[in-house]
Amino acid sequence: MKKIILSFIMLISVLSVLCITAFAAPDTVAPDTVGNASGLVTVTNPNGSSDMSFDNSYVISGYGEVGTLVTIYTYNPATGLYEKLYKTVTTVSEAGVYETAQQAVSCTIGDSTLFLNTVNLNSGSNSFMLYAEKDGLVQIFKFFVIKHNYNVIDVIRSWGVS
């Protein structure tokens, strides 16, 4: 019995450390904030500082150093800050009880060195910031995704014709 209790305490200790690491990114970031590093991550989607989509969601992806925490922020014009994005996650316990919780749109890069996060898009311009951090180093990548509606005018605008 003592071994089970000791194992349980060790498991909780390890999970506590992992949770502290996962939430190291600040809740808000000023638009003029710059990182102190480069090369932690390489963003492959979007390929540049802007992209467009007709879909309601967008996948941000790339690769980077193992152990780098990648967090996605969106710009809030009301506050003038980039705010950490959250998603609603629903789980089912062993007892069959549904539980929902808010979880930051972030991930820690594992052995594959790949990362991806999905964000929801609003119609029009969506301003995002990718905040990558590892061992006190921070890399920031800002980009826009323009969501068009499915109509002829938006399709023509997506071709660059006004």
Side-chain angles (χ1 to χ4, degrees):
M1 183 68 174
K2 288 182 181 182
K3 288 183 181 180
I4 293 173
I5 293 173
L6 182 61
S7 297
F8 183 71
I9 291 172
M10 289 179 66
L11 177 66
I12 289 176
S13 299
V14 169
L15 290 176
S16 297
V17 169
L18 291 175
C19 290
I20 291 169
T21 302
F23 295 108
D27 287 332
T28 60
V29 178
D32 58 351
T33 301
V34 294
N36 60 6
S38 63
L40 288 177
V41 295
T42 299
V43 179
T44 56
N45 193 46
N47 186 12
S49 61
S50 65
D51 202 357
M52 51 117 349
S53 178
F54 288 93
D55 298 324
N56 291 327
S57 61
Y58 187 84
V59 176
I60 302 163
S61 62
Y63 57 92
E65 290 186 21
V66 174
T68 301
L69 176 65
V70 177
T71 306
I72 307 298
Y73 292 76
T74 187
Y75 183 73
N76 182 346
T79 62
L81 299 170
Y82 281 93
E83 298 175 350
K84 191 183 290 185
L85 272 178
Y86 289 90
K87 61 185 172 186
T88 302
V89 177
T90 303
T91 57
V92 181
S93 69
E94 290 182 14
V97 177
Y98 287 87
E99 297 176 358
T100 59
Q102 292 294 314
Q103 187 178 68
V105 179
S106 65
C107 65
T108 301
I109 298 175
D111 290 336
S112 71
T113 70
L114 302 174
F115 70 88
L116 67 89
N117 285 301
T118 303
V119 295
N120 293 325
L121 297 176
N122 297 317
S123 290
S125 182
N126 295 265
S127 180
F128 295 104
M129 180 179 68
L130 182 142
Y131 186 97
E133 65 179 325
K134 178 182 179 184
D135 299 330
L137 300 174
V138 175
Q139 180 180 348
I140 292 176
F141 176 72
K142 297 175 187 168
F143 59 97
F144 294 91
V145 179
I146 299 170
K147 180 186 180 280
H148 294 290
N149 295 323
Y150 288 100
N151 63 46
V152 175
I153 294 173
D154 282 335
V155 171
I156 293 170
R157 284 184 181 150
S158 71
W159 295 334
V161 178
S162 297

